[in-house]
């Protein structure tokens, strides 16, 4: 298998994803002097948590890390860059705004993070309805929400982070509906003394609009969102609002890991204590290995970066810190585990695959994702099953689809970088 020489690049270490985990991995590995490529589809490093925009200022920790990345001449940053396909052993086809090319590597660290889990309910496709993290990203990107009434629903600490961002930009957050029970949330909060910065964060984010055992039932409106019907304990309340931001925790981005042949279990890339996957020279760190917050992502990234350049003993020194933050992640995942009632929100007419207009009723009779896909067009649209495949897994227990190349829409000129014998 040969690659067009004019479009080839080789690095010792490739890191996919420049969120906290990927940045930490690059900074830990860089002092050894090996050539490193750090690529991310966003315009700047920072990942989901440290996102730039007209309404956002990234914290000092992120600014410092960006500055340190720039200080290493052996780190090449490929921003606005996506992985299009595998191009043979230890080779990937990449594309950015300017060009497509094949990059080969000796070692790889996957730091692809996580995305929001969106679950279908009546009205969830109305304009004005977004994910909870999605709303936050839109506001940071410049969306004006001043004087708008907003309902935030779903589960996990991201709801409060999103609420704080919306309020800071002038919105009135009329309800934060957390599906977990009061005892689960109180138990989680009571244990936060072990992670003092998280306890302080929880206090600063607290909202009077917060209700537990509360979940969205229906988004109301005809052409756009006008209100939300919510179950709060035994009661049903209807709230008028201009926006609903609804996210049911996060799901790891494992598609590239799966395509490479890494083991994925419980929707997360499986790694050992060195952050190594089952493939030699292939590591994974951060939320693609399970949802756990930025602190866990940072320490996992550092371990992976060190191990990838042979600094195992230094990496071992970080195990205790990882264990501490893994403890936080475990509590988080237990406290905010999904109530099975959320599987019954969709009505027969509710779209599950919104790219291809496939209704819940069209899917419900099938036994697997593949069966459903053969009979409907679910998962064949722009998101390639990233949203509906994840939803179907929660609703029906179906294994989500394996991503097929090209992993995202790509230019013909990019595909032409692959020589004869290579195909996507
Ligand atoms: C929408 C959203 C908003 C969030 N907001 C907050 C918040 O306000 N506060 C908070 O504490 N936590 C927040 N989180 C949780 C946060 O993601 C993590 O705690 C932390 O950022 C995880 O770091 P990470 O490096 O593992 O992954 P991420 O930060 O998710 O970084 C992964 C990066 O990899 C990139 N990437 C993934 N796949 C590819 C690919 N194929 N090609 C190129 N690039 C790729 C992504 O674009 C992303 O930049 C949010 C999560 C989401 C999904």
């Amino acid at each position: 298998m040969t690659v067009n020489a004019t479009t080839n690049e080789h690095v010792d270490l490739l890191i996919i994803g420049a969120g906290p985990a990927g940045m930490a991995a690059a900074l830990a590995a860089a002092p050894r002097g090996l050539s490193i490529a750090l690529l991310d589809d966003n315009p700047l490093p920072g990942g989901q948590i440290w996102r730039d925009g007209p309404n956002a200022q990234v914290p000092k920790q992120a600014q410092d890390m960006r500055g340190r990345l720039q200080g290493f001449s052996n780190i090449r940053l490929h921003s606005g860059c996506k992985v299009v396909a595998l191009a043979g052993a230890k080779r990937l086809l990449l594309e950015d705004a300017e060009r497509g090319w094949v990059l080969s590597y000796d070692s790889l660290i996957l730091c692809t993070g996580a995305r929001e889990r969106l679950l279908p309910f009546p009205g969830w496709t109305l304009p004005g309805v977004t994910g909870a993290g999605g709303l936050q990203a839109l506001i940071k990107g410049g969306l004006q929400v001043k004087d708008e009434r907003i309902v935030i629903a779903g589960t996990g600490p991201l709801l409060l982070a999103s609420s704080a961002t919306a309020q800071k930009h002038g919105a009135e957050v009329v309800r934060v509906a957390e599906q977990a029970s009061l005892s689960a949330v109180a138990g989680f909060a009571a244990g936060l003394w072990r992670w003092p910065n998280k306890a302080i964060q929880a206090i600063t984010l607290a909202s009077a609009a917060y209700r537990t055992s509360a979940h969205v039932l229906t988004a109301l409106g005809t052409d756009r969102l006008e209100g939300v019907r919510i179950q709060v304990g035994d009661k049903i309340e209807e709230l008028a609002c201009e926006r609903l931001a609804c996210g049911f925790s996060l799901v790891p981005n494992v598609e590239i890991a799966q395509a490479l042949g890494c083991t994925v279990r419980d929707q997360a890339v499986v790694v050992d204590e060195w952050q190594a996957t089952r493939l030699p020279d292939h590591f994974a760190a951060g939320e693609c290995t399970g949802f756990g917050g930025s602190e866990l992502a940072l320490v996992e990234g550092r371990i992976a970066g060190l191990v990838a350049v042979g600094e195992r003993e230094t990496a071992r020194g970080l195990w205790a810190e990882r264990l501490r933050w893994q403890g936080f992640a475990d509590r988080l995942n237990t406290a905010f585990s999904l109530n099975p009632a959320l599987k019954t929100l969709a009505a027969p007419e509710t779209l599950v695959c919104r790219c291809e207009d496939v209704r819940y009723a069209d899917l419900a009779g099938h036994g697997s994702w593949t069966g459903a896909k053969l009979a409907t067009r679910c998962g064949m649209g722009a998101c390639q099953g990233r949203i509906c495949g994840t939803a179907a897994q929660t609703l029906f227990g179906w294994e989500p689809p394996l991503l097929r190349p090209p992993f995202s829409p790509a230019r013909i000129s990019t595909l032409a970088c692959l020589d004869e014998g290579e195909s996507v």
Side-chain angles (χ1 to χ4, degrees), residues 117-122 124 152-156 159 177-181 211-218 229-233 244 246-250 335-347 350-352 360 390-397:
R117 186 199 314 271
L118 305 177
L119 295 180
F121 52 87
W124 77 296
I152 297 175
T155 199
L159 303 188
E178 166 58 62
Q179 59 91 39
S181 67
R211 298 288 183 279
T212 52
S213 297
H215 64 259
V216 67
L217 292 172
T218 309
R229 188 175 297 137
I230 297 179
Q231 181 90 46
V232 185
L244 166 64
C246 201
F248 296 92
S249 192
L250 303 183
F336 296 98
S337 59
L338 289 189
N339 178 345
L342 298 172
K343 295 181 187 179
T344 60
L345 297 182
T350 305
L351 295 181
V352 176
Y360 179 89
T390 306
Q393 181 172 44
T394 306
L395 298 181
F396 308 117

Side-chain angles (χ1 to χ4, degrees), residues 202-268:
I203 292 164
T204 53
L205 292 178
S207 163
Y210 193 76
R211 298 288 183 279
T212 52
S213 297
H215 64 259
V216 67
L217 292 172
T218 309
L220 306 166
T222 42
D223 295 331
R224 74 162 282 123
L225 182 77
E226 292 165 14
V228 181
R229 188 175 297 137
I230 297 179
Q231 181 90 46
V232 185
D234 299 337
K235 299 201 178 79
I236 290 178
E237 64 178 16
E238 276 192 20
L239 300 164
C241 60
E242 282 74 43
R243 288 190 191 277
L244 166 64
C246 201
F248 296 92
S249 192
L250 303 183
V251 276
N253 292 320
V254 298
E255 291 77 10
I256 293 179
Q258 276 179 316
L260 286 163
C262 302
T263 305
V264 170
R265 196 178 307 131
D266 297 333
Q267 299 179 60

Side-chain angles (χ1 to χ4, degrees), residues 32 36 138 262 338 387:
R32 281 293 287 264
I36 299 171
L138 286 168
C262 302
L338 289 189
I387 293 173

